[in-house]
Amino acid sequence: MNELVRQHTALDDSDLEWLHLLVSEWQLLSDLSFADLVLWVPTLDGTRYVSVAQMRPNTGPTSYQDDMVGHLVPRGRRPMLDAALDEGRIVREGDPEWREEVPVRVESIPVRRDGRVLGVIARNTNLLTVRTPSRLELTYLQSASDLAQMIAAGSFPFPDQQVDMDASPRVGDGLIRLDADGIVQYASPNALSAYHRLGLAADLVGHHLGQITAELAPTRGPVDEALVKLASGWAPREFEIEANDGVIQFRAIPLKPKGTRIGSLVLCRDVTELRRRERELITKDATIREIHHRVKNNLQTVAALLRLQARRIDSERGREALEEAVRRVGSIAIVHETLSQNLDERVEFDDIADRVLAMVAEISPGKVTGRRSGRFGILDAEVATPLSMVLTEVLQNALEHGFREGDTGTVEVSAVRGGTTKEARLLVTVQDDGVGLPADFDPHRSGNLGLQIVRTLVEGELGGSFDMVRAPGRGTRVILDIPVRAQK
């Protein structure tokens, strides 16, 4: 819609925002009308109309099999559009149109904002299945007429209320029509079922909805006057009530077709099962985070025990081996600590890489600086845990074997994500400017425990590739190529 409006019309950004607000709400009008809606806006030169949005009803057959968005119509071809735009009134005159042997009643509703008519909604009703309307259908149509008058007057949609139509109750979920005093004139079967879920044993018609709702809601004191107001539809609001093991979501819409409130629409939906699942997910997430927290604590305890053991060993090689084990355990603990703070099993790995780099840098025999470039991004836990160990081993190997006591140098970790959406990959490079590799060194046959761990994790668990080569000029370069899930 943005592109069509900016390309063809003279509307400014504030007008476009109003149209977006209207389009976010007009599924309600379409369902109440049992009709298709097409929004037509006059072009910049005023000689044509361009259709910028379309909506089909959930409550009846469509009048348009094709998508109308982007169509251009010369002014004069559809007189009802011209009359609604020029006169600023709802136009209902005219005989039904025939489209593919289907009779269609067309009405035009001007879209007004701040006294100006921005465009026209063409309401198209398929008459092929018309029959004697029921009480529910009559209530729908009357409510649609009231909303159409509010659109023509510029009082609907409500500018201070942004509605998420995917999460809000819809017409078919349950509809209650109130008069100006908040008395129920009509309640659809679904709406009545929702109130029965809250504990109501009687009918709703003829009763004050706000008072009944407040009485059903659990309170310890006097009747909640604010809830009475909300449920009576005095203001456009959304709210929920939980009672009798049921949760009902409400949306109140004041009806002011001629500037004075004549009543309200209250849409309601039973969201008991939805909220129960959400609570289960929250509980499960909390449990998972607690597990990660306890695993981290246990790993830190193991690391502490290994440090104590290392201090009591006389053998230098034994002490170094235990200290290496401490760093390996520590790298895994960092991942679990990060996971314990997240809502899902994915982590921002850049922070983990920085912490691993800082942890390993403590063993540097000289003045070696570690730095990171690029972004690892968000990784799944099953990738982050082995990758943290791999990074620890590679960095530890670079610092221990690439530099001697008193040396100065740099170890840089770089990360680049690329590939297609289906086959995203992470390319990690660890390069130092140390002494480099021996002439006969083969990283794929080396018996070094650290490199064995790297090969096993990268090729076996991560499904990637690992290579270690001489860096241009001086030092060693380690290259890791790992498949990862694409970032969202």
Side-chain angles (χ1 to χ4, degrees), residues 82-368:
D82 299 337
L85 183 69
D86 297 339
E87 302 172 22
R89 65 180 180 89
I90 299 176
V91 180
R92 295 190 175 95
E93 302 86 359
D95 297 326
E97 298 180 2
W98 287 82
R99 300 174 188 162
E100 299 179 356
E101 300 183 354
V102 175
V104 177
R105 182 176 65 242
V106 181
E107 304 168 84
S108 295
I109 304 167
V111 178
R112 192 183 303 273
R113 174 180 177 266
D114 294 339
R116 296 181 300 115
V117 178
L118 306 182
V120 179
I121 294 176
R123 181 164 56 176
N124 304 267
T125 307
N126 187 324
L127 300 178
L128 196 61
T129 57
V130 168
R131 52 184 172 77
T132 302
S134 64
R135 178 73 188 280
L136 179 145
E137 292 167 332
L138 289 173
T139 303
Y140 277 21
L141 293 172
Q142 180 58 52
S143 302
S145 177
D146 294 335
L147 285 178
Q149 292 182 59
M150 291 170 66
I151 292 173
S155 58
F156 187 83
F158 305 110
D160 57 343
Q161 186 188 39
Q162 188 70 39
V163 176
D164 182 1
M165 290 305 297
D166 292 332
S168 295
R170 299 198 175 205
V171 170
D173 294 325
L175 178 141
I176 302 171
R177 173 83 186 215
L178 309 179
D179 65 13
D181 297 322
I183 305 300
V184 178
Q185 295 179 311
Y186 175 79
S188 71
N190 284 346
L192 195 57
S193 296
Y195 267 82
H196 288 166
R197 185 67 180 263
L198 291 178
L200 180 69
D203 195 2
L204 280 172
V205 176
H207 297 278
H208 192 283
L209 186 68
Q211 293 178 359
I212 285 183
T213 305
E215 290 170 1
L216 292 172
T219 57
R220 294 197 178 112
V223 172
D224 189 340
E225 293 297 331
L227 183 56
V228 172
K229 288 281 188 180
L230 284 175
S232 298
W234 283 91
R237 294 288 185 274
E238 291 193 19
F239 58 98
E240 286 187 6
I241 292 177
E242 183 171 359
N244 197 36
D245 296 327
V247 184
I248 307 300
Q249 183 183 25
F250 292 87
R251 184 187 176 196
I253 305 169
L255 297 176
K256 302 177 181 179
K258 297 181 180 179
T260 303
R261 181 175 170 277
I262 63 167
S264 304
L265 279 183
V266 177
L267 306 180
C268 55
R269 178 173 63 167
D270 187 345
V271 292
T272 305
E273 289 303 310
L274 178 63
R275 296 295 177 260
R276 183 184 62 79
R277 292 193 195 101
E278 288 177 350
R279 288 168 184 160
E280 287 179 352
L281 288 174
I282 291 172
T283 302
K284 185 180 293 184
D285 287 340
T287 303
I288 292 172
R289 289 200 300 274
E290 178 62 22
I291 289 171
H292 285 303
H293 180 71
R294 293 189 181 189
V295 169
K296 183 263 296 184
N297 289 344
N298 290 338
L299 288 172
Q300 289 179 336
T301 301
V302 171
L305 291 173
L306 291 173
R307 287 194 195 94
L308 289 173
Q309 187 67 40
R311 291 170 189 164
R312 288 164 171 76
I313 291 182
D314 296 329
S315 168
E316 184 67 25
R317 292 189 64 184
R319 188 181 305 110
E320 290 176 356
L322 286 176
E323 288 174 350
E324 285 183 5
V326 167
R327 285 188 287 275
R328 288 167 184 150
V329 172
S331 66
I332 301 174
I334 291 172
V335 176
H336 283 283
E337 181 181 4
T338 305
L339 287 168
S340 70
Q341 300 167 1
N342 288 349
L343 294 176
D344 56 18
E345 290 291 287
R346 308 190 76 192
V347 297
E348 178 63 62
F349 196 81
D350 295 294
D351 179 58
I352 293 174
D354 290 340
R355 294 174 66 180
V356 168
L357 191 58
M359 178 181 68
V360 176
E362 295 176 359
I363 69 169
S364 172
K367 297 181 179 179
V368 180

Side-chain angles (χ1 to χ4, degrees), residues 398-399 402-403 410-412 430-436 471 474-477:
L399 292 171
F403 300 94
T410 302
V411 176
E412 180 174 359
V430 180
Q431 183 167 320
D432 66 69
D433 53 4
V435 298
R474 176 183 171 87
T476 305
R477 176 183 292 172

Side-chain angles (χ1 to χ4, degrees), residues 1-5 7-9 26 37-41 43 48-55 66-74 78:
M1 186 166 72
N2 288 357
E3 182 180 346
L4 289 170
V5 168
Q7 179 181 354
H8 294 286
T9 78
W26 71 344
L37 305 178
V38 180
L39 178 57
W40 297 93
V41 180
T43 57
R48 295 179 296 175
Y49 297 96
V50 58
S51 59
V52 298
Q54 179 179 0
M55 178 58 65
D66 299 326
D67 189 358
M68 295 297 295
V69 175
H71 282 217
L72 291 164
V73 174
R78 299 194 177 181

